[in-house]
């Protein structure tokens, strides 16, 4: 084998090792996070031993670990994977490092749906799933409108971003109007929804969300080569390597919207992960989407776990919602990473 | 010689601007054809139509006997590799990985050792081995242009479409790249060919088997460099006077002398 080829393989192995290290750190953080809690009859050491299978514990302790803490941790991991993957996909297919899953109308659509359910009481479901169903449906409708309007204008990445910004403003204006006429209770509910919390979905819902997200991951990976071509060289370059940019971009936007909606419909708005995780991954792995997508997913899970654990323990028993925590700790850290690596 | 590309009555417009008008051309195996013409003559548009980046209004394009619109895009990229004038890059990769994208039509998910070696050999062939693990966005314009050409070479197509491949290159690299392209398509058993949109008529004269002179969306002249690059044709299309010199036994050289001012104004108003 050629010496340049050998060096390429070696570089790939080093990057794989870094991703595996991050993966192991994330697993340890998950185990640690499950042991963290305010329950008086369950110290961290016992929790750890129970999670690792060295101790069975009482029925109550088992319920606390597996029915209360585990769904939350699983939701943090799944949410992180989904939002970070969606962020990496969107940034790649639109060739824009500022894009995140929440910037392209998904968040404004979800907020609009939630506002319809909370303020006007309009939803396709009339039970506790009213907000979730509306948020999911409206975010997908908004993305569908953006894709259609983007196609009408032209089929470039910029059209999707511009139409997305316009739709976000319109949806925001409608939500603000509803807030203006809402009661105090409705306003409070809407504000609380927008904070983003991992404890909202129940155990069964968390499993459904996780299955959906993990099920969508192979499809995301399938487009890695296409994303490499699109993000490095733009549309003409991509076509010359056999990629149909219009079709690929549309499919990826739909997939990203699905991954984002399925999470934020249940948790409320959780920003930052979708923007930061892909950028942080780029700093260690580069821009090859075959590695960037899995690395972003692991980074996303790590960030969510870290923020959630901190949010639960920092001012215990007060719990700071993960969405707020992520922005507080993640923003400055992200800025530091970017400035520290400004030389490339 | 086998016909690789055949274009019949090709028309393309941007709105009311009719860029290509009933254009006919063919490209045969082992042939290097240069397209020359003034800015906006339709050189890039023609190349983009041939690579399905742009959809013509009418006309027929065939590649290896198959109608272009019926060929799957992946299949097409195994036959045609296109080098754009410039590329916009928001996210960068190592040079090796950019060139590896040329193998994308040939591979699924995993990269075979042969694909890696193909990239390595291409990098050496174009004297780019020292850049292999440098980031693409940290290269100069000319170096980037060579990397994109390397990607096209690694693609191993039947036809190369180059849109001004030497525009960012220094004098030595212009000659070197054109020599390499000529070498690639001159291997008799390879059946390759190249269509190059270029502004430098001396480069075109030196390396082309045939030159297409595009003017106002039509082919104004088509033939060997000696046939096409006459002072009369050059004056008609480029509005400059020129002199042809035969300093080299194998190719002509064109010395551009002065512009021809067809609309001479005797009374000029200069606004400062």
């Amino acid at each position: 084998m050629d010496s340049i080829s050998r060096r390429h393989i070696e570089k790939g192995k080093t990057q794989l090792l870094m991703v595996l290290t991050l993966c192991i750190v994330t697993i340890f953080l998950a185990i640690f996070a499950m042991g963290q809690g305010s329950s008086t009859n369950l110290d961290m050491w016992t929790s750890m031993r129970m999670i690792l299978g060295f101790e069975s514990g009482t029925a109550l302790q088992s319920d606390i670990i597996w029915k209360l803490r585990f769904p939350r941790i699983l939701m943090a991991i799944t949410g992180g994977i989904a939002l970070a993957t969606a962020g990496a996909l969107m940034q790649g297919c639109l060739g824009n490092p500022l894009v995140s899953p929440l910037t392209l109308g998904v968040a404004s659509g979800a907020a609009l749906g939630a506002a319809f359910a909370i303020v006007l009481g309009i939803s396709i479901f009339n039970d506790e799933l009213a907000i979730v169903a509306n948020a999911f449906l409206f975010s997908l409708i908004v993305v569908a409108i953006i894709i259609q309007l983007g196609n009408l204008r032209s089929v470039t990445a910029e059209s999707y971003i511009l139409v997305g910004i316009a739709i976000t403003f319109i949806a925001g204006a409608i939500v603000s109007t509803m807030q203006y006429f809402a009661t105090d209770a409705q306003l409070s509910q809407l504000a609380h929804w927008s904070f983003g919390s991992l404890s909202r979905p129940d155990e069964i819902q968390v499993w459904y969300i996780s299955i959906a997200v993990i099920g969508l991951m192979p499809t995301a990976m399938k487009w890695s080569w296409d994303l490499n071509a699109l993000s490095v060289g733009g549309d003409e370059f991509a076509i010359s390597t056999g990629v149909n940019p219009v079709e690929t971009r549309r499919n990826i936007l739909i997939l990203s919207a699905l991954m984002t909606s399925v999470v934020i419909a249940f948790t409320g708005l959780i920003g930052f992960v979708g923007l930061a995780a892909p950028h942080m991954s780029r700093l260690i792995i580069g821009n090859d989407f075959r590695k960037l997508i899995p690395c972003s997913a692991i980074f996303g899970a790590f960030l969510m776990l870290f923020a959630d654990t901190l949010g639960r323990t920092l001012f215990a028993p007060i719990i700071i919602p993960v969405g707020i925590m992520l922005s507080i700790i993640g923003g400055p850290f992200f800025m530091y990473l970017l400035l520290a690596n400004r030389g490339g | 010689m086998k016909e690789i590309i055949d274009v019949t009555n090709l028309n393309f417009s941007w709105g009311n601007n009719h860029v290509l008008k009933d254009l006919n051309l063919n490209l045969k195996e082992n042939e290097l054809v240069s397209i020359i013409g003034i800015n906006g003559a339709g050189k890039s548009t023609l190349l983009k139509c041939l690579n399905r980046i742009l959809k013509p209004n009418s006309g027929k394009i065939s590649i290896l006997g198959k109608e272009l619109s019926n060929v799957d895009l992946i299949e097409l990229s195994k036959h045609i590799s296109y080098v754009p004038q410039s590329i916009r890059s928001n996210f960068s990769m190592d040079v090796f990985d950019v060139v590896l994208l040329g193998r994308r039509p040939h591979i699924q998910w995993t990269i075979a050792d042969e694909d890696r070696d193909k990239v390595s050999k291409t990098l050496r062939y174009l004297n780019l081995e020292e850049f292999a693990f440098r980031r693409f966005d940290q290269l100069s314009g000319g170096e980037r242009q060579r990397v994109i050409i390397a990607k096209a070479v690694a693609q191993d197509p039947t036809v190369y479409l180059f849109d001004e491949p030497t525009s960012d290159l220094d004098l030595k690299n212009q000659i070197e790249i054109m020599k390499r392209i000529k070498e690639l398509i001159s291997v008799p058993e390879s059946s390759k060919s190249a269509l190059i949109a270029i502004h430098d008529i001396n480069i075109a004269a030196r390396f082309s088997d045939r030159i297409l002179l595009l003017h106002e969306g039509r082919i104004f002249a088509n033939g060997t460099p000696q046939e096409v690059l006459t002072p009369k044709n050059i004056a008609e299309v480029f509005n400059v006077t020129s002199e042809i010199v035969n300093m080299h036994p194998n190719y002509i050289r064109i010395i551009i002398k002065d512009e021809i001012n067809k609309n001479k104004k005797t009374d000029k108003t200069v606004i400062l």
Side-chain angles (χ1 to χ4, degrees), chain A residues 183-306:
Chain A
T183 63
D184 287 350
Q186 288 168 336
L187 267 179
S188 161
Q189 201 182 349
L190 197 55
H192 195 252
W193 180 85
S194 69
F195 289 153
S197 169
L198 297 172
S199 55
R200 251 173 236 153
D202 63 32
E203 193 188 348
I204 303 293
Q205 287 168 348
V206 170
W207 278 112
Y208 281 136
I209 298 166
S210 303
I211 290 166
V213 169
I214 301 305
L216 290 170
M217 280 304 284
T219 318
M221 294 295 294
K222 199 189 89 177
W223 279 307
S224 303
W225 277 109
D226 299 15
L227 280 166
N228 280 348
L230 265 176
S231 64
V232 165
D235 287 12
E236 290 182 4
F237 181 83
I239 292 172
S240 78
T241 56
V243 177
N244 183 333
V246 177
E247 209 174 273
T248 306
R249 199 172 285 130
R250 190 190 55 220
N251 292 339
I252 288 176
L253 286 179
I254 293 170
L255 177 72
S256 314
L258 271 173
M259 286 186 116
T260 311
S261 308
V262 81
V263 171
I264 64 169
F266 286 92
T267 61
L269 299 183
I270 298 175
F272 190 74
V273 173
L275 176 72
H279 281 292
M280 288 173 172
S281 304
R282 259 182 209 108
L283 294 176
I284 59 167
I285 211 86
N287 197 50
D288 184 344
F289 278 82
R290 290 174 309 123
K291 300 164 197 162
L292 184 69
I293 291 174
C295 187
S296 299
I298 298 167
F299 236 121
F302 173 81
L303 281 176
M304 286 276 263
L305 278 171
F306 187 68

Side-chain angles (χ1 to χ4, degrees), chain A residues 1-5 7-9 11 91 95 158 221 225-226 232 236 240-242 282 287 290, chain B residues 48 77 88-94 96-97 104 108-109 111 113 116-117 120 124 133 151 155:
Chain A
M1 188 189 281
D2 194 287
S3 60
I4 303 176
S5 304
R7 206 176 143 196
H8 187 250
I9 291 173
K11 195 170 180 187
Q91 287 171 7
E158 287 78 13
M221 294 295 294
W225 277 109
D226 299 15
V232 165
E236 290 182 4
S240 78
T241 56
R282 259 182 209 108
N287 197 50
R290 290 174 309 123
Chain B
K48 286 176 186 177
S77 60
R88 185 200 64 175
S89 182
N90 288 321
F91 298 107
S92 192
M93 293 168 88
D94 280 353
F96 190 100
D97 290 317
R104 192 247 174 213
Q108 293 295 316
W109 173 257
I111 307 159
D113 288 344
R116 273 200 185 86
D117 283 348
S120 304
R124 287 187 204 285
F133 296 98
K151 175 249 154 203
Q155 206 162 326

Side-chain angles (χ1 to χ4, degrees), chain B residues 25-45:
Chain B
L25 75 90
N26 58 58
L27 186 66
K28 294 187 171 60
E29 61 180 345
N30 304 119
E31 199 178 28
L32 194 156
V33 177
S34 291
I35 313 167
I36 59 169
I38 60 166
N39 293 331
K43 304 183 292 293
S44 301
T45 305

Side-chain angles (χ1 to χ4, degrees), chain B:
Chain B
M1 277 204 295
K2 193 166 73 177
E3 202 160 77
I4 306 286
I5 285 183
D6 183 46
V7 177
T8 318
N9 297 329
L10 188 73
N11 284 283
F12 182 88
S13 331
W14 291 109
N16 293 327
N17 180 18
H18 212 154
V19 183
L20 300 176
K21 298 167 191 165
D22 287 324
L23 196 132
N24 294 290
L25 75 90
N26 58 58
L27 186 66
K28 294 187 171 60
E29 61 180 345
N30 304 119
E31 199 178 28
L32 194 156
V33 177
S34 291
I35 313 167
I36 59 169
I38 60 166
N39 293 331
K43 304 183 292 293
S44 301
T45 305
L46 172 60
L47 293 186
K48 286 176 186 177
C49 287
L50 296 179
N51 196 32
R52 271 188 33 200
I53 290 169
L54 295 176
K55 196 178 172 191
N57 300 92
S58 63
K60 193 180 156 199
I61 303 172
S62 305
I63 169 141
L64 296 165
K66 286 184 192 169
E67 194 163 331
L68 190 74
S69 54
N70 295 334
V71 182
D72 172 69
L73 205 53
I74 288 276
E75 198 54 36
L76 184 66
S77 60
K78 288 178 187 170
H79 293 302
I80 295 181
S81 68
Y82 166 72
V83 175
Q85 261 178 46
S86 59
I87 70 164
R88 185 200 64 175
S89 182
N90 288 321
F91 298 107
S92 192
M93 293 168 88
D94 280 353
V95 165
F96 190 100
D97 290 317
V98 174
V99 178
L100 188 62
L101 281 170
R103 301 304 299 159
R104 192 247 174 213
H106 305 274
I107 51 184
Q108 293 295 316
W109 173 257
T110 48
I111 307 159
D113 288 344
E114 304 90 75
D115 293 307
R116 273 200 185 86
D117 283 348
K118 178 90 188 165
V119 173
S120 304
K121 277 179 194 161
T122 307
L123 289 170
R124 287 187 204 285
Y125 184 63
L126 296 174
N127 292 325
L128 286 166
E129 62 264 42
E130 62 175 299
F131 301 111
F133 296 98
R134 274 182 53 191
R135 273 177 52 161
F136 181 65
D137 62 344
Q138 290 173 357
L139 303 180
S140 71
E143 288 162 350
R144 277 190 214 188
Q145 198 163 31
R146 285 163 63 205
V147 171
I148 298 302
I149 292 169
K151 175 249 154 203
V153 174
Q155 206 162 326
D156 198 18
T158 317
V159 185
Y160 296 98
L161 302 178
F162 293 107
D163 196 352
E164 297 180 30
T166 55
S167 58
D168 285 339
L169 302 183
D170 58 46
L171 294 172
K172 177 182 168 285
N173 278 311
Q174 284 182 24
I175 302 290
E176 191 182 294
I177 283 290
M178 289 305 293
K179 273 185 176 171
R180 293 283 183 253
I181 294 171
K182 185 80 177 168
E183 266 173 24
L184 282 168
I185 64 142
S186 299
V187 182
E189 59 271 22
S190 74
S191 301
K192 292 183 187 300
S193 55
L195 196 56
I196 304 177
I198 197 160
H199 275 298
D200 190 328
I201 54 175
N202 278 307
I203 292 271
R206 178 166 170 183
F207 292 99
S208 309
D209 299 304
R210 194 151 55 91
I211 290 180
L212 297 177
L213 179 53
L214 266 189
H215 188 48
E216 294 174 348
R218 296 177 202 276
I219 292 179
F220 187 84
N222 176 5
T224 62
Q226 287 83 353
E227 288 166 350
V228 172
L229 296 173
T230 60
K232 184 173 172 286
N233 283 346
I234 292 170
E236 193 79 34
V237 171
F238 294 97
N239 279 330
V240 289
T241 55
S242 60
E243 187 186 333
I244 310 297
V245 287
N246 289 302
M247 294 188 316
H248 195 279
N250 296 330
Y251 53 87
I252 56 168
R253 295 191 65 79
I254 301 102
I255 297 169
I256 303 299
K257 292 185 154 175
D258 202 1
E259 63 175 325
I260 303 166
N261 200 344
K262 283 183 177 171
N263 307 309
K264 259 188 185 169
K265 287 179 185 172
T266 47
D267 182 24
K268 277 188 184 173
T269 310
V270 179
I271 302 169
L272 294 174

Side-chain angles (χ1 to χ4, degrees), chain A residues 303-325:
Chain A
L303 281 176
M304 286 276 263
L305 278 171
F306 187 68
D308 183 54
T309 308
L310 222 57
R312 283 191 300 134
T313 53
L314 210 58
F315 302 107
I318 296 166
I319 295 174
I320 301 175
V322 69
I324 298 175
M325 208 61 219

